[in-house]
Amino acid sequence: MEPPPATPASGMNAVRTVAALRAALAPQRRRGRRIGLVPTMGALHAGHLALITRARAECDMVVVSLFVNPAQFNERADLDRYPREERRDRRLAAAAGADVLFAPSVDEVYPPGFATCVEVLGLTERLEGAARGSAHFRGVTTVVAKLLCMTLPHVAYFGQKDAQQLVVLRRLVADLNLPVRVEACPTVREADGVAMSSRNALLSPRERAQARALPAGLQAAREQVALGERASAELVGAAHEAMRELGVEPEYVALVDPDTLEPLEKLVREGLMLLAARIGEVRLIDNALLIATASRVAPPTRPTTKRARKVTS
Ligand code: AMP
């Protein structure tokens, strides 16, 4: 007998095992239904919900995974304090249109004797990889490869917020010929521009105010692009300066090729600006695509700042 279809969203229960997940999906798969997967570490916010809403619009069956993956945390304290709110997550995921919440235990994902990892070389060695160590992305790619094998979705949804992760996961899917389409969703931000993140909840009110330095850095670079600046060093410098003005010293600011993550010396068509900063105990990241349009903004008639003078001369 076929197991019943996924429980209605309002009464969604968490599925804990791979066997139960496969049993829930098998009848849907047999009927040719399109399955979407949204991998998360929980503490859901509007960024996660946008991915679920998108999956709901495009798929017949939406699986949200909730797994705080110990393998990708390079700091024990970060793992220990990572917010865990499964009941709330279940309710929010259901309301956004999830059919199944897959919330396995650490033992279900990494049973005794587990000895395999999946590693993407090169792309993972810079930026976040350099800052957090090679184990971070190895943890991400291993768990995402496992979640894809466990769920076998037609489409998997990831956020542009973790831009390097997205590039790495696209590489993983292409290199392993995994039969899944990767879809990216834009970064969802708070009203003041700060990218939504589960870690924002760990910031004190003062630190939360300082977190504005990250979008401010990106905005400063964008403004320089609009004024005609194309040199990477200048754009990175503008972001640094804007962040420091808000009392935040960036861990890194980089302008890279959006596909290869290779550093750019100059913005020719488009470049991905990535930055990271530690605010108190919490490490935050953000990014923006900088686009060099052909037409420059008309220079101010009386330039008042050093930078404005420089780029308009
Ligand atoms: P996490 O729970 O932080 O591992 O994130 C799960 C997924 O949600 C990843 O694909 C993230 O890139 C995505 N995500 C996290 N924050 C945001 C955001 N502010 N906007 C859009 N997607 C996000």
Side-chain angles (χ1 to χ4, degrees):
M1 204 179 89
E2 285 188 351
T7 46
S10 54
M12 189 174 64
N13 287 319
V15 169
R16 306 279 172 200
T17 65
V18 179
L21 175 67
R22 289 191 170 147
L25 297 179
Q28 312 294 328
R29 207 183 300 284
R30 269 199 297 277
R31 287 188 200 114
R33 301 264 161 86
R34 193 175 180 71
I35 297 168
L37 172 66
V38 181
T40 82
M41 295 205 299
L44 300 186
H45 51 65
H48 298 115
L49 301 182
L51 303 189
I52 301 172
T53 304
R54 167 97 179 268
R56 174 76 283 155
E58 297 178 356
C59 301
D60 303 305
M61 189 76 184
V62 176
V63 179
V64 174
S65 65
L66 192 172
F67 181 62
V68 182
N69 176 30
Q72 73 188 71
F73 283 79
N74 52 305
E75 286 176 28
R76 178 76 216 195
D78 189 25
L79 173 63
D80 288 345
R81 68 172 167 248
Y82 201 84
R84 290 168 171 82
E85 319 166 43
E86 191 188 302
R87 271 165 73 97
R88 177 181 166 276
D89 288 345
R90 209 160 56 203
R91 187 170 44 76
L92 289 174
D99 297 298
V100 175
L101 185 79
F102 177 48
S105 66
V106 172
D107 266 4
E108 181 70 9
V109 177
Y110 302 114
F114 181 85
T116 303
C117 68
V118 179
E119 189 163 13
V120 172
L121 304 175
L123 290 173
T124 58
E125 284 152 29
R126 51 190 81 121
L127 304 162
E128 284 301 279
R132 302 184 65 174
S134 57
H136 166 64
F137 276 122
R138 195 162 55 234
V140 171
T141 46
T142 300
V143 85
V144 171
K146 281 178 69 77
L147 289 167
L148 293 173
C149 291
M150 291 165 173
T151 313
L152 298 176
H154 298 89
V155 195
Y157 296 85
F158 298 95
Q160 185 63 41
K161 150 84 168 36
D162 298 280
Q164 186 179 6
Q165 172 176 288
L166 187 56
V167 173
V168 167
L169 294 177
R170 285 192 192 283
R171 190 75 258 159
L172 165 86
V173 164
D175 288 357
L176 296 184
N177 304 99
L178 297 178
V180 61
R181 207 177 77 218
V182 170
E183 286 291 347
C185 299
T187 302
V188 177
R189 297 178 179 280
E190 307 272 4
D192 64 354
V194 172
M196 297 228 174
S197 163
S198 304
R199 289 186 176 87
N200 290 352
L202 304 172
L203 298 167
S204 70
R206 189 171 158 272
E207 290 166 346
R208 175 60 188 76
Q210 279 193 313
R212 289 206 322 269
L214 283 85
L218 297 171
Q219 181 57 21
R222 245 188 242 110
E223 283 167 13
Q224 288 306 305
V225 173
L227 287 168
E229 183 61 72
R230 296 292 180 263
S232 182
E234 288 294 321
L235 298 172
V236 165
H240 262 271
E241 205 175 297
M243 292 176 78
R244 284 197 195 112
E245 269 169 26
L246 289 169
V248 172
E249 184 59 33
E251 200 170 291
Y252 65 76
V253 178
L255 184 67
V256 301
D257 179 285
D259 299 318
T260 64
L261 303 181
E262 289 294 334
L264 293 179
E265 283 204 359
K266 220 171 151 249
L267 186 69
V268 176
R269 204 161 300 152
E270 51 183 39
L272 183 64
M273 177 163 275
L274 299 143
L275 44 82
R278 196 174 280 276
I279 314 240
E281 298 289 302
V282 182
R283 202 172 163 278
L284 298 176
I285 57 173
D286 203 344
N287 69 87
L289 193 65
L290 301 183
I291 300 171
T293 48
S295 61
R296 292 179 179 192
V297 167
T301 44
R302 277 217 250 141
T304 49
T305 67
K306 192 166 141 247
R307 192 174 296 282
R309 257 196 306 280
K310 188 157 160 261
V311 297
T312 53
S313 59

